[in-house]
């Protein structure tokens, strides 16, 4: 070991943080889709930039969006 650093570690409550982020997304009318499998992403010819085809246990759907984020863990 060449060097060691003493730092202050900040803790956060993940549940409170998730609630804050969910509320902010809802306030901005952001659609969030959980537990789904994306089958196709295409460059769109409409005013939206991409189309995404996805399905889950409840539905199959195509959505059009300016941006798409894949948050996989």
């Amino acid at each position: 070991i060449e060097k060691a650093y003493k730092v202050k570690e900040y803790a956060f409550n993940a549940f409170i943080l998730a609630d804050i982020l969910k509320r902010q997304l809802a306030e901005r009318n952001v659609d969030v889709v959980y537990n789904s499998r994306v089958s196709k992403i295409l460059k769109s010819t409409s005013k939206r930039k991409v189309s995404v085809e996805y399905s889950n246990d409840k539905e199959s759907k195509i959505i059009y969006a300016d941006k798409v984020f894949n948050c996989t863990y």
Side-chain angles (χ1 to χ4, degrees):
I1 298 175
E2 290 183 27
K3 293 183 181 182
Y5 298 93
K6 183 176 180 179
V7 296
K8 186 172 187 176
E9 185 175 327
Y10 294 92
F12 60 90
N13 185 318
F15 296 106
I16 293 173
L17 183 59
D19 287 340
I20 291 169
L21 293 173
K22 286 178 188 176
R23 187 182 74 246
Q24 290 176 348
L25 290 169
E27 288 170 355
R28 290 165 178 81
N29 296 316
V30 174
D31 293 322
V32 178
V33 179
Y34 298 100
N35 300 318
S36 297
R37 179 178 302 273
V38 173
S39 55
K40 195 182 294 182
I41 300 176
L42 298 171
K43 191 181 236 183
S44 178
T45 57
S46 71
K47 66 180 182 175
R48 298 291 186 167
K49 296 179 183 171
V50 294
S51 65
V52 179
E53 183 177 334
Y54 73 91
S55 61
N56 55 35
D57 292 341
K58 298 177 186 173
E59 64 184 347
S60 288
K61 197 170 186 182
I62 297 175
I63 59 171
Y64 299 90
D66 295 321
K67 296 177 184 171
V68 176
F69 297 92
N70 177 5
C71 301
T72 305
Y73 297 96

